[in-house]
Amino acid sequence: MRYKIGDVARILGISADLLRYYEKKGVVTPYKDAHNDYRYYDSWDMNFLMDCLWYKQFGFGIDQIAHMVSDCDYDALLQQLTDKSDDIEQSLLHQEMLLRRIREHRGQISRVRDYIGKCDICQSPELLCYLNRFNATFDDSQELTMLSQSWLNYMPFTQRYFEITQEDLLGKRDNFAWGFSLTTDYAQIFEITEEPPVTRLPSCR
């Protein structure tokens, strides 16, 4: 049984352009009618195309898929699968971290109403932190600008950090500072070291 390009596209749910791409890469070799230049695909072509769809579900790109299905030796195929396995594992670890972080944030938000008009003294976690805004002025030095840009990439695991002295809190002065912080467990995951202007803030009340 032979199928026209439109039939294959409809049966497999892929575009005619993708079929032509896989033909160009040697994944399929449809028969071309010399009279009308129509392409006809046989059952083996369909099998190879279904192999492409199968690999697509792992997240391989079309270039990788074409190579794996049509022109990939045994060792290279194993390496492609190993690399993708590592990528998926890293993605899962990141998703688990995101799940943990959003649950932490939801827990914080869920307690907001209980603290309207109140305050509490509690034990803070150990943090790595730095300051980049003093009162209303950002420190736009090259060092802090580069540091801030790198820490922005760690969102949502970073938190904005606010620092004020007891005297300022009591209204005796009017100085405060802002920056970013990371709990040390997240800092360890991202391999952030304690180097000035990044400092370690011990767990305290």
Side-chain angles (χ1 to χ4, degrees):
M1 182 69 181
R2 288 180 173 176
Y3 303 89
K4 293 182 180 179
I5 191 169
D7 295 327
V8 176
R10 175 178 51 81
I11 292 169
L12 297 181
I14 59 179
S15 69
D17 287 341
L18 184 57
L19 286 170
R20 295 187 187 96
Y21 173 83
Y22 282 141
E23 178 185 349
K24 180 181 177 182
K25 291 295 184 178
V27 175
V28 291
T29 53
Y31 166 77
K32 293 182 181 179
D33 192 313
H35 299 291
N36 53 28
D37 207 31
Y38 285 169
R39 290 172 171 80
Y40 292 94
Y41 298 81
D42 62 21
S43 57
W44 276 109
D45 290 321
M46 299 287 277
N47 285 341
F48 287 130
L49 290 168
M50 283 188 275
D51 286 343
C52 292
L53 293 176
W54 194 79
Y55 280 120
K56 179 185 176 183
Q57 301 309 312
F58 288 108
F60 288 105
I62 59 174
D63 286 339
Q64 290 177 293
I65 292 170
H67 175 64
M68 292 166 73
V69 173
S70 65
D71 188 31
C72 193
D73 64 30
Y74 178 80
D75 291 332
L77 179 59
L78 279 180
Q79 189 60 54
Q80 292 269 26
L81 296 173
T82 298
D83 291 344
K84 178 55 69 174
S85 176
D86 292 342
D87 289 345
I88 292 173
E89 185 174 7
Q90 288 300 313
S91 178
L92 285 173
L93 290 173
H94 186 71
Q95 291 297 315
E96 288 174 355
M97 287 172 59
L98 286 175
L99 180 60
R100 170 188 164 187
R101 186 70 194 96
I102 200 168
R103 284 174 172 169
E104 290 171 348
H105 187 59
R106 184 183 183 279
Q108 293 166 347
I109 296 299
S110 69
R111 294 189 293 273
V112 166
R113 288 178 177 169
D114 296 334
Y115 284 91
I116 294 176
K118 303 175 184 178
C119 65
D120 198 2
I121 297 175
C122 59
Q123 195 74 18
S124 72
E126 186 177 44
L127 302 173
L128 288 188
C129 57
Y130 73 94
L131 301 172
N132 65 350
R133 185 180 125 194
F134 302 90
N135 295 330
T137 304
F138 279 95
D139 183 332
D140 60 356
S141 64
Q142 183 178 7
E143 179 186 26
L144 274 177
T145 297
M146 292 178 63
L147 181 63
S148 295
Q149 289 174 353
S150 66
W151 277 52
L152 285 170
N153 291 327
Y154 302 132
M155 284 186 168
F157 308 103
T158 53
Q159 297 192 79
R160 283 165 289 182
Y161 173 66
F162 179 73
E163 192 172 282
I164 187 169
T165 67
Q166 185 176 7
E167 290 79 9
D168 293 317
L169 191 63
L170 295 174
K172 297 179 181 179
R173 296 183 304 183
D174 191 24
N175 294 311
F176 55 89
W178 289 88
F180 286 105
S181 69
L182 269 172
T183 56
T184 50
D185 55 343
Y186 284 127
Q188 185 175 7
I189 291 171
F190 295 123
E191 299 181 345
I192 297 174
T193 57
E194 180 188 350
E195 297 178 5
V198 176
T199 59
R200 183 179 300 271
L201 185 68
S203 176
C204 60
R205 288 177 63 80

Short mmCIF file of all heavy atoms in Angstrom, two decimals, residues 83-121:
data_model
loop_
_atom_site.label_atom_id
_atom_site.label_comp_id
_atom_site.label_asym_id
_atom_site.label_seq_id
_atom_site.Cartn_x
_atom_site.Cartn_y
_atom_site.Cartn_z
N ASP A 83 22.93 11.21 26.81
CA ASP A 83 22.90 12.67 26.98
C ASP A 83 21.50 13.17 27.26
O ASP A 83 21.29 14.04 28.13
CB ASP A 83 23.45 13.36 25.73
CG ASP A 83 24.94 13.13 25.53
OD1 ASP A 83 25.60 12.70 26.50
OD2 ASP A 83 25.43 13.37 24.41
N LYS A 84 20.52 12.63 26.54
CA LYS A 84 19.13 13.06 26.76
C LYS A 84 18.65 12.62 28.14
O LYS A 84 17.93 13.36 28.82
CB LYS A 84 18.23 12.49 25.67
CG LYS A 84 16.75 12.83 25.83
CD LYS A 84 16.49 14.31 25.94
CE LYS A 84 16.77 15.05 24.66
NZ LYS A 84 16.36 16.49 24.75
N SER A 85 19.06 11.44 28.58
CA SER A 85 18.71 10.96 29.91
C SER A 85 19.25 11.91 30.97
O SER A 85 18.54 12.27 31.94
CB SER A 85 19.26 9.55 30.13
OG SER A 85 19.02 9.12 31.45
N ASP A 86 20.49 12.36 30.79
CA ASP A 86 21.09 13.31 31.74
C ASP A 86 20.33 14.63 31.73
O ASP A 86 20.10 15.24 32.78
CB ASP A 86 22.56 13.55 31.39
CG ASP A 86 23.43 12.33 31.63
OD1 ASP A 86 22.99 11.42 32.36
OD2 ASP A 86 24.55 12.28 31.07
N ASP A 87 19.95 15.09 30.53
CA ASP A 87 19.20 16.35 30.42
C ASP A 87 17.86 16.26 31.15
O ASP A 87 17.46 17.19 31.87
CB ASP A 87 18.93 16.69 28.94
CG ASP A 87 20.20 17.12 28.22
OD1 ASP A 87 21.20 17.43 28.89
OD2 ASP A 87 20.19 17.12 26.97
N ILE A 88 17.17 15.13 30.97
CA ILE A 88 15.86 14.95 31.62
C ILE A 88 16.03 14.90 33.13
O ILE A 88 15.23 15.47 33.88
CB ILE A 88 15.17 13.68 31.09
CG1 ILE A 88 14.77 13.88 29.61
CG2 ILE A 88 13.94 13.34 31.92
CD1 ILE A 88 14.25 12.62 28.94
N GLU A 89 17.09 14.22 33.59
CA GLU A 89 17.33 14.13 35.03
C GLU A 89 17.57 15.51 35.62
O GLU A 89 17.03 15.85 36.68
CB GLU A 89 18.53 13.23 35.30
CG GLU A 89 18.77 12.98 36.78
CD GLU A 89 19.88 11.98 37.03
OE1 GLU A 89 20.55 11.57 36.07
OE2 GLU A 89 20.07 11.60 38.21
N GLN A 90 18.37 16.35 34.93
CA GLN A 90 18.61 17.70 35.41
C GLN A 90 17.33 18.52 35.42
O GLN A 90 17.08 19.31 36.33
CB GLN A 90 19.66 18.38 34.52
CG GLN A 90 21.07 17.87 34.72
CD GLN A 90 21.56 18.08 36.15
OE1 GLN A 90 21.40 19.16 36.73
NE2 GLN A 90 22.13 17.04 36.74
N SER A 91 16.50 18.32 34.39
CA SER A 91 15.23 19.03 34.33
C SER A 91 14.31 18.62 35.48
O SER A 91 13.64 19.46 36.09
CB SER A 91 14.54 18.76 32.99
OG SER A 91 13.29 19.40 32.92
N LEU A 92 14.29 17.33 35.80
CA LEU A 92 13.47 16.85 36.91
C LEU A 92 13.94 17.45 38.24
O LEU A 92 13.11 17.85 39.07
CB LEU A 92 13.52 15.32 36.98
CG LEU A 92 12.71 14.56 35.93
CD1 LEU A 92 13.01 13.07 36.03
CD2 LEU A 92 11.23 14.81 36.12
N LEU A 93 15.25 17.50 38.44
CA LEU A 93 15.79 18.09 39.67
C LEU A 93 15.37 19.55 39.78
O LEU A 93 15.00 20.03 40.86
CB LEU A 93 17.31 17.97 39.70
CG LEU A 93 17.87 16.56 39.88
CD1 LEU A 93 19.40 16.56 39.70
CD2 LEU A 93 17.50 15.99 41.25
N HIS A 94 15.43 20.26 38.65
CA HIS A 94 15.04 21.68 38.66
C HIS A 94 13.55 21.82 38.95
O HIS A 94 13.13 22.70 39.72
CB HIS A 94 15.38 22.32 37.33
CG HIS A 94 15.15 23.80 37.31
ND1 HIS A 94 15.94 24.69 38.00
CD2 HIS A 94 14.19 24.56 36.69
CE1 HIS A 94 15.50 25.92 37.80
NE2 HIS A 94 14.45 25.87 37.02
N GLN A 95 12.72 20.95 38.36
CA GLN A 95 11.29 21.01 38.60
C GLN A 95 10.97 20.69 40.07
O GLN A 95 10.07 21.30 40.66
CB GLN A 95 10.55 20.02 37.68
CG GLN A 95 10.58 20.41 36.21
CD GLN A 95 9.88 21.72 35.94
OE1 GLN A 95 8.79 21.96 36.44
NE2 GLN A 95 10.50 22.59 35.16
N GLU A 96 11.70 19.75 40.66
CA GLU A 96 11.50 19.44 42.07
C GLU A 96 11.86 20.65 42.94
O GLU A 96 11.17 20.94 43.93
CB GLU A 96 12.36 18.23 42.47
CG GLU A 96 11.84 16.91 41.90
CD GLU A 96 12.79 15.76 42.19
OE1 GLU A 96 13.88 16.02 42.75
OE2 GLU A 96 12.44 14.61 41.85
N MET A 97 12.93 21.35 42.58
CA MET A 97 13.30 22.55 43.31
C MET A 97 12.23 23.64 43.18
O MET A 97 11.89 24.32 44.15
CB MET A 97 14.64 23.09 42.80
CG MET A 97 15.84 22.26 43.22
SD MET A 97 17.37 22.82 42.39
CE MET A 97 17.44 24.53 42.92
N LEU A 98 11.69 23.79 41.97
CA LEU A 98 10.63 24.78 41.76
C LEU A 98 9.39 24.43 42.58
O LEU A 98 8.74 25.31 43.15
CB LEU A 98 10.26 24.87 40.27
CG LEU A 98 11.26 25.57 39.36
CD1 LEU A 98 10.82 25.47 37.91
CD2 LEU A 98 11.41 27.05 39.75
N LEU A 99 9.06 23.14 42.62
CA LEU A 99 7.91 22.70 43.41
C LEU A 99 8.12 23.01 44.88
O LEU A 99 7.22 23.54 45.56
CB LEU A 99 7.67 21.20 43.21
CG LEU A 99 6.50 20.59 43.96
CD1 LEU A 99 5.18 21.26 43.57
CD2 LEU A 99 6.43 19.08 43.72
N ARG A 100 9.30 22.71 45.38
CA ARG A 100 9.63 23.02 46.78
C ARG A 100 9.53 24.52 47.03
O ARG A 100 8.95 24.96 48.04
CB ARG A 100 11.03 22.52 47.10
CG ARG A 100 11.57 23.00 48.45
CD ARG A 100 13.03 22.63 48.61
NE ARG A 100 13.64 23.40 49.69
CZ ARG A 100 14.94 23.37 49.96
NH1 ARG A 100 15.75 22.62 49.24
NH2 ARG A 100 15.43 24.10 50.95
N ARG A 101 10.07 25.32 46.10
CA ARG A 101 10.10 26.77 46.30
C ARG A 101 8.69 27.37 46.28
O ARG A 101 8.38 28.25 47.09
CB ARG A 101 10.96 27.43 45.20
CG ARG A 101 11.16 28.92 45.41
CD ARG A 101 12.06 29.19 46.60
NE ARG A 101 12.00 30.58 47.00
CZ ARG A 101 11.22 31.06 47.96
NH1 ARG A 101 10.45 30.24 48.67
NH2 ARG A 101 11.23 32.33 48.27
N ILE A 102 7.84 26.92 45.36
CA ILE A 102 6.50 27.49 45.30
C ILE A 102 5.68 27.07 46.51
O ILE A 102 4.83 27.83 46.99
CB ILE A 102 5.80 27.14 43.97
CG1 ILE A 102 4.65 28.12 43.72
CG2 ILE A 102 5.29 25.70 43.97
CD1 ILE A 102 4.08 28.06 42.32
N ARG A 103 5.94 25.89 47.05
CA ARG A 103 5.25 25.47 48.28
C ARG A 103 5.72 26.32 49.46
O ARG A 103 4.90 26.69 50.32
CB ARG A 103 5.51 23.99 48.54
CG ARG A 103 4.69 23.06 47.63
CD ARG A 103 5.08 21.61 47.82
NE ARG A 103 4.17 20.72 47.09
CZ ARG A 103 4.39 19.43 46.91
NH1 ARG A 103 5.49 18.86 47.41
NH2 ARG A 103 3.52 18.68 46.25
N GLU A 104 7.03 26.63 49.49
CA GLU A 104 7.52 27.51 50.54
C GLU A 104 6.85 28.88 50.45
O GLU A 104 6.40 29.44 51.46
CB GLU A 104 9.04 27.68 50.40
CG GLU A 104 9.85 26.44 50.75
CD GLU A 104 11.32 26.59 50.38
OE1 GLU A 104 11.67 27.56 49.66
OE2 GLU A 104 12.12 25.72 50.78
N HIS A 105 6.79 29.40 49.24
CA HIS A 105 6.21 30.74 49.05
C HIS A 105 4.72 30.74 49.36
O HIS A 105 4.20 31.67 49.99
CB HIS A 105 6.45 31.20 47.61
CG HIS A 105 6.05 32.61 47.36
ND1 HIS A 105 6.59 33.68 48.05
CD2 HIS A 105 5.13 33.15 46.50
CE1 HIS A 105 6.04 34.80 47.62
NE2 HIS A 105 5.16 34.51 46.69
N ARG A 106 4.03 29.67 48.97
CA ARG A 106 2.59 29.58 49.27
C ARG A 106 2.37 29.55 50.78
O ARG A 106 1.44 30.18 51.30
CB ARG A 106 2.00 28.32 48.63
CG ARG A 106 0.49 28.20 48.82
CD ARG A 106 -0.06 26.91 48.23
NE ARG A 106 -1.49 26.84 48.37
CZ ARG A 106 -2.12 26.46 49.48
NH1 ARG A 106 -1.43 26.11 50.55
NH2 ARG A 106 -3.45 26.43 49.52
N GLY A 107 3.25 28.83 51.50
CA GLY A 107 3.13 28.79 52.95
C GLY A 107 3.32 30.17 53.57
O GLY A 107 2.60 30.55 54.50
N GLN A 108 4.28 30.94 53.02
CA GLN A 108 4.49 32.29 53.54
C GLN A 108 3.28 33.18 53.27
O GLN A 108 2.83 33.91 54.14
CB GLN A 108 5.75 32.88 52.89
CG GLN A 108 7.04 32.19 53.29
CD GLN A 108 8.20 32.55 52.39
OE1 GLN A 108 8.02 33.13 51.32
NE2 GLN A 108 9.41 32.21 52.83
N ILE A 109 2.76 33.10 52.05
CA ILE A 109 1.61 33.94 51.68
C ILE A 109 0.37 33.56 52.49
O ILE A 109 -0.41 34.41 52.90
CB ILE A 109 1.31 33.82 50.18
CG1 ILE A 109 2.49 34.37 49.35
CG2 ILE A 109 0.03 34.55 49.80
CD1 ILE A 109 2.80 35.82 49.60
N SER A 110 0.23 32.24 52.76
CA SER A 110 -0.98 31.80 53.49
C SER A 110 -1.02 32.34 54.91
O SER A 110 -2.08 32.36 55.54
CB SER A 110 -1.04 30.27 53.51
OG SER A 110 -0.01 29.73 54.34
N ARG A 111 0.13 32.77 55.45
CA ARG A 111 0.17 33.28 56.82
C ARG A 111 0.07 34.81 56.91
O ARG A 111 0.08 35.36 58.01
CB ARG A 111 1.47 32.81 57.50
CG ARG A 111 1.54 31.30 57.71
CD ARG A 111 2.71 30.91 58.58
NE ARG A 111 3.99 31.17 57.92
CZ ARG A 111 4.60 30.30 57.11
NH1 ARG A 111 4.04 29.13 56.84
NH2 ARG A 111 5.76 30.61 56.55
N VAL A 112 -0.01 35.47 55.77
CA VAL A 112 0.00 36.93 55.76
C VAL A 112 -1.14 37.51 56.60
O VAL A 112 -0.94 38.41 57.42
CB VAL A 112 -0.07 37.47 54.31
CG1 VAL A 112 -0.40 38.95 54.30
CG2 VAL A 112 1.26 37.23 53.61
N ARG A 113 -2.34 37.00 56.43
CA ARG A 113 -3.49 37.57 57.14
C ARG A 113 -3.35 37.44 58.65
O ARG A 113 -3.84 38.28 59.40
CB ARG A 113 -4.77 36.89 56.67
CG ARG A 113 -5.20 37.29 55.26
CD ARG A 113 -6.43 36.56 54.82
NE ARG A 113 -6.88 36.97 53.50
CZ ARG A 113 -7.82 36.35 52.78
NH1 ARG A 113 -8.39 35.26 53.29
NH2 ARG A 113 -8.16 36.80 51.60
N ASP A 114 -2.67 36.39 59.08
CA ASP A 114 -2.49 36.20 60.53
C ASP A 114 -1.58 37.26 61.14
O ASP A 114 -1.59 37.44 62.36
CB ASP A 114 -1.90 34.81 60.81
CG ASP A 114 -2.83 33.69 60.38
OD1 ASP A 114 -4.05 33.93 60.34
OD2 ASP A 114 -2.34 32.59 60.06
N TYR A 115 -0.81 37.95 60.30
CA TYR A 115 0.17 38.90 60.82
C TYR A 115 -0.18 40.35 60.51
O TYR A 115 0.65 41.23 60.71
CB TYR A 115 1.56 38.56 60.28
CG TYR A 115 2.16 37.37 60.99
CD1 TYR A 115 1.96 36.08 60.50
CD2 TYR A 115 2.89 37.52 62.16
CE1 TYR A 115 2.50 34.98 61.15
CE2 TYR A 115 3.42 36.44 62.82
CZ TYR A 115 3.23 35.16 62.31
OH TYR A 115 3.75 34.07 62.96
N ILE A 116 -1.39 40.59 60.03
CA ILE A 116 -1.79 41.98 59.79
C ILE A 116 -1.85 42.70 61.14
O ILE A 116 -2.54 42.29 62.06
CB ILE A 116 -3.15 42.04 59.07
CG1 ILE A 116 -3.01 41.47 57.65
CG2 ILE A 116 -3.65 43.49 59.00
CD1 ILE A 116 -4.31 41.40 56.90
N GLY A 117 -1.09 43.78 61.25
CA GLY A 117 -1.04 44.54 62.50
C GLY A 117 -0.23 43.89 63.59
O GLY A 117 -0.27 44.32 64.75
N LYS A 118 0.51 42.85 63.27
CA LYS A 118 1.29 42.13 64.27
C LYS A 118 2.72 41.95 63.76
O LYS A 118 3.01 42.15 62.58
CB LYS A 118 0.69 40.75 64.54
CG LYS A 118 -0.76 40.77 65.00
CD LYS A 118 -1.28 39.34 65.11
CE LYS A 118 -2.75 39.32 65.46
NZ LYS A 118 -3.28 37.93 65.52
N CYS A 119 3.57 41.54 64.63
CA CYS A 119 4.92 41.14 64.23
C CYS A 119 5.32 39.94 65.06
O CYS A 119 4.66 39.62 66.06
CB CYS A 119 5.92 42.28 64.39
SG CYS A 119 6.17 42.80 66.10
N ASP A 120 6.38 39.30 64.67
CA ASP A 120 6.83 38.12 65.37
C ASP A 120 8.35 38.07 65.31
O ASP A 120 8.97 38.64 64.41
CB ASP A 120 6.24 36.86 64.72
CG ASP A 120 6.30 35.65 65.62
OD1 ASP A 120 6.77 35.79 66.77
OD2 ASP A 120 5.90 34.57 65.18
N ILE A 121 8.94 37.43 66.28
CA ILE A 121 10.38 37.21 66.28
C ILE A 121 10.58 35.71 66.08
O ILE A 121 10.04 34.90 66.83
CB ILE A 121 11.02 37.67 67.59
CG1 ILE A 121 10.84 39.19 67.77
CG2 ILE A 121 12.51 37.30 67.61
CD1 ILE A 121 11.32 39.71 69.09
#
